[in-house]
mmCIF file of all heavy atoms in Angstrom:
data_model
loop_
_atom_site.group_PDB
_atom_site.id
_atom_site.type_symbol
_atom_site.label_atom_id
_atom_site.label_comp_id
_atom_site.label_asym_id
_atom_site.label_seq_id
_atom_site.Cartn_x
_atom_site.Cartn_y
_atom_site.Cartn_z
ATOM 1 N N GLN A 1 0.835 -1.212 0.000
ATOM 2 C CA GLN A 1 0.000 0.000 0.000
ATOM 3 C C GLN A 1 0.862 1.252 0.000
ATOM 4 O O GLN A 1 0.632 2.188 -0.785
ATOM 5 C CB GLN A 1 -0.905 -0.023 1.224
ATOM 6 C CG GLN A 1 -1.811 1.181 1.371
ATOM 7 C CD GLN A 1 -2.702 1.041 2.584
ATOM 8 O OE1 GLN A 1 -3.426 0.057 2.726
ATOM 9 N NE2 GLN A 1 -2.643 2.011 3.485
ATOM 10 N N ASN A 2 1.858 1.296 0.866
ATOM 11 C CA ASN A 2 2.708 2.491 0.934
ATOM 12 C C ASN A 2 3.631 2.616 -0.267
ATOM 13 O O ASN A 2 4.031 3.725 -0.626
ATOM 14 C CB ASN A 2 3.514 2.474 2.234
ATOM 15 C CG ASN A 2 2.678 2.864 3.433
ATOM 16 O OD1 ASN A 2 2.299 4.014 3.595
ATOM 17 N ND2 ASN A 2 2.352 1.893 4.277
ATOM 18 N N THR A 3 3.949 1.488 -0.900
ATOM 19 C CA THR A 3 4.739 1.559 -2.125
ATOM 20 C C THR A 3 3.943 2.220 -3.239
ATOM 21 O O THR A 3 4.444 3.126 -3.924
ATOM 22 C CB THR A 3 5.190 0.146 -2.561
ATOM 23 O OG1 THR A 3 6.038 -0.405 -1.550
ATOM 24 C CG2 THR A 3 5.951 0.201 -3.874
ATOM 25 N N VAL A 4 2.687 1.781 -3.443
ATOM 26 C CA VAL A 4 1.894 2.367 -4.527
ATOM 27 C C VAL A 4 1.521 3.810 -4.232
ATOM 28 O O VAL A 4 1.425 4.633 -5.162
ATOM 29 C CB VAL A 4 0.628 1.532 -4.840
ATOM 30 C CG1 VAL A 4 0.991 0.133 -5.280
ATOM 31 C CG2 VAL A 4 -0.335 1.498 -3.678
ATOM 32 N N THR A 5 1.321 4.161 -2.953
ATOM 33 C CA THR A 5 1.002 5.564 -2.658
ATOM 34 C C THR A 5 2.207 6.462 -2.931
ATOM 35 O O THR A 5 2.051 7.574 -3.447
ATOM 36 C CB THR A 5 0.540 5.739 -1.207
ATOM 37 O OG1 THR A 5 1.527 5.228 -0.315
ATOM 38 C CG2 THR A 5 -0.773 5.027 -0.961
ATOM 39 N N ASN A 6 3.420 5.986 -2.610
ATOM 40 C CA ASN A 6 4.616 6.764 -2.935
ATOM 41 C C ASN A 6 4.800 6.905 -4.437
ATOM 42 O O ASN A 6 5.164 7.978 -4.932
ATOM 43 C CB ASN A 6 5.851 6.106 -2.316
ATOM 44 C CG ASN A 6 6.108 6.570 -0.902
ATOM 45 O OD1 ASN A 6 6.603 7.664 -0.661
ATOM 46 N ND2 ASN A 6 5.751 5.739 0.065
ATOM 47 N N LEU A 7 4.556 5.822 -5.172
ATOM 48 C CA LEU A 7 4.659 5.900 -6.633
ATOM 49 C C LEU A 7 3.616 6.860 -7.188
ATOM 50 O O LEU A 7 3.912 7.679 -8.070
ATOM 51 C CB LEU A 7 4.477 4.512 -7.246
ATOM 52 C CG LEU A 7 5.630 3.528 -7.077
ATOM 53 C CD1 LEU A 7 5.244 2.152 -7.605
ATOM 54 C CD2 LEU A 7 6.881 4.031 -7.791
ATOM 55 N N GLY A 8 2.389 6.781 -6.680
ATOM 56 C CA GLY A 8 1.338 7.679 -7.148
ATOM 57 C C GLY A 8 1.662 9.132 -6.884
ATOM 58 O O GLY A 8 1.490 9.993 -7.759
ATOM 59 N N ALA A 9 2.156 9.417 -5.677
ATOM 60 C CA ALA A 9 2.508 10.800 -5.343
ATOM 61 C C ALA A 9 3.650 11.310 -6.207
ATOM 62 O O ALA A 9 3.627 12.462 -6.673
ATOM 63 C CB ALA A 9 2.881 10.893 -3.866
ATOM 64 N N SER A 10 4.656 10.460 -6.440
ATOM 65 C CA SER A 10 5.794 10.875 -7.272
ATOM 66 C C SER A 10 5.359 11.148 -8.704
ATOM 67 O O SER A 10 5.744 12.149 -9.312
ATOM 68 C CB SER A 10 6.877 9.791 -7.247
ATOM 69 O OG SER A 10 7.354 9.573 -5.943
ATOM 70 N N ILE A 11 4.522 10.243 -9.245
ATOM 71 C CA ILE A 11 4.055 10.425 -10.623
ATOM 72 C C ILE A 11 3.132 11.640 -10.724
ATOM 73 O O ILE A 11 3.198 12.404 -11.700
ATOM 74 C CB ILE A 11 3.348 9.151 -11.121
ATOM 75 C CG1 ILE A 11 4.378 8.022 -11.285
ATOM 76 C CG2 ILE A 11 2.619 9.404 -12.436
ATOM 77 C CD1 ILE A 11 3.766 6.682 -11.632
ATOM 78 N N GLY A 12 2.279 11.840 -9.721
ATOM 79 C CA GLY A 12 1.376 12.993 -9.750
ATOM 80 C C GLY A 12 2.120 14.311 -9.793
ATOM 81 O O GLY A 12 1.795 15.206 -10.583
ATOM 82 N N THR A 13 3.153 14.437 -8.952
ATOM 83 C CA THR A 13 3.952 15.665 -8.940
ATOM 84 C C THR A 13 4.705 15.844 -10.245
ATOM 85 O O THR A 13 4.732 16.933 -10.829
ATOM 86 C CB THR A 13 4.945 15.636 -7.766
ATOM 87 O OG1 THR A 13 4.224 15.458 -6.547
ATOM 88 C CG2 THR A 13 5.738 16.927 -7.698
ATOM 89 N N ALA A 14 5.351 14.753 -10.711
ATOM 90 C CA ALA A 14 6.136 14.839 -11.946
ATOM 91 C C ALA A 14 5.251 15.135 -13.152
ATOM 92 O O ALA A 14 5.608 15.948 -14.015
ATOM 93 C CB ALA A 14 6.907 13.535 -12.162
ATOM 94 N N LEU A 15 4.098 14.477 -13.224
ATOM 95 C CA LEU A 15 3.202 14.674 -14.366
ATOM 96 C C LEU A 15 2.639 16.091 -14.389
ATOM 97 O O LEU A 15 2.669 16.766 -15.432
ATOM 98 C CB LEU A 15 2.064 13.653 -14.286
ATOM 99 C CG LEU A 15 1.058 13.650 -15.435
ATOM 100 C CD1 LEU A 15 1.749 13.280 -16.736
ATOM 101 C CD2 LEU A 15 -0.081 12.671 -15.141
ATOM 102 N N ALA A 16 2.139 16.563 -13.244
ATOM 103 C CA ALA A 16 1.595 17.924 -13.189
ATOM 104 C C ALA A 16 2.680 18.942 -13.518
ATOM 105 O O ALA A 16 2.433 19.913 -14.255
ATOM 106 C CB ALA A 16 1.006 18.193 -11.807
ATOM 107 N N GLY A 17 3.885 18.732 -12.987
ATOM 108 C CA GLY A 17 4.974 19.664 -13.254
ATOM 109 C C GLY A 17 5.384 19.689 -14.707
ATOM 110 O O GLY A 17 5.602 20.759 -15.296
ATOM 111 N N ALA A 18 5.500 18.499 -15.323
ATOM 112 C CA ALA A 18 5.927 18.429 -16.725
ATOM 113 C C ALA A 18 4.902 19.066 -17.652
ATOM 114 O O ALA A 18 5.254 19.829 -18.565
ATOM 115 C CB ALA A 18 6.170 16.968 -17.117
ATOM 116 N N VAL A 19 3.624 18.772 -17.425
ATOM 117 C CA VAL A 19 2.569 19.349 -18.276
ATOM 118 C C VAL A 19 2.504 20.856 -18.081
ATOM 119 O O VAL A 19 2.357 21.619 -19.053
ATOM 120 C CB VAL A 19 1.213 18.683 -17.950
ATOM 121 C CG1 VAL A 19 0.070 19.421 -18.647
ATOM 122 C CG2 VAL A 19 1.227 17.224 -18.367
ATOM 123 N N LEU A 20 2.606 21.300 -16.834
ATOM 124 C CA LEU A 20 2.551 22.737 -16.550
ATOM 125 C C LEU A 20 3.671 23.486 -17.283
ATOM 126 O O LEU A 20 3.422 24.501 -17.947
ATOM 127 C CB LEU A 20 2.639 22.966 -15.047
ATOM 128 C CG LEU A 20 2.457 24.404 -14.552
ATOM 129 C CD1 LEU A 20 1.829 24.403 -13.156
ATOM 130 C CD2 LEU A 20 3.788 25.151 -14.473
ATOM 131 N N ILE A 21 4.889 23.000 -17.159
ATOM 132 C CA ILE A 21 6.029 23.697 -17.783
ATOM 133 C C ILE A 21 5.940 23.644 -19.298
ATOM 134 O O ILE A 21 6.245 24.622 -19.991
ATOM 135 C CB ILE A 21 7.368 23.097 -17.292
ATOM 136 C CG1 ILE A 21 7.525 23.353 -15.785
ATOM 137 C CG2 ILE A 21 8.535 23.690 -18.050
ATOM 138 C CD1 ILE A 21 7.505 24.804 -15.380
ATOM 139 N N ALA A 22 5.497 22.497 -19.855
ATOM 140 C CA ALA A 22 5.377 22.381 -21.315
ATOM 141 C C ALA A 22 4.336 23.364 -21.845
ATOM 142 O O ALA A 22 4.573 24.065 -22.845
ATOM 143 C CB ALA A 22 5.001 20.950 -21.690
ATOM 144 N N ALA A 23 3.168 23.430 -21.193
ATOM 145 C CA ALA A 23 2.116 24.352 -21.644
ATOM 146 C C ALA A 23 2.524 25.800 -21.414
ATOM 147 O O ALA A 23 2.248 26.676 -22.255
ATOM 148 C CB ALA A 23 0.809 24.044 -20.913
ATOM 149 N N LEU A 24 3.161 26.072 -20.283
ATOM 150 C CA LEU A 24 3.649 27.420 -19.996
ATOM 151 C C LEU A 24 4.637 27.877 -21.064
ATOM 152 O O LEU A 24 4.545 29.002 -21.585
ATOM 153 C CB LEU A 24 4.318 27.435 -18.619
ATOM 154 C CG LEU A 24 5.158 28.657 -18.230
ATOM 155 C CD1 LEU A 24 4.268 29.881 -18.095
ATOM 156 C CD2 LEU A 24 5.900 28.405 -16.925
#
């Protein structure tokens, strides 16, 4: 459970950041 939550949090931050900077 804690492994998938860490993966989800890492991907969520990375994905939001990458899309934000690309669109910006």
Side-chain angles (χ1 to χ4, degrees):
Q1 179 178 305
N2 283 289
T3 297
V4 299
T5 56
N6 272 283
L7 287 174
S10 299
I11 291 174
T13 303
L15 183 63
V19 171
L20 186 149
I21 295 301
L24 167 66

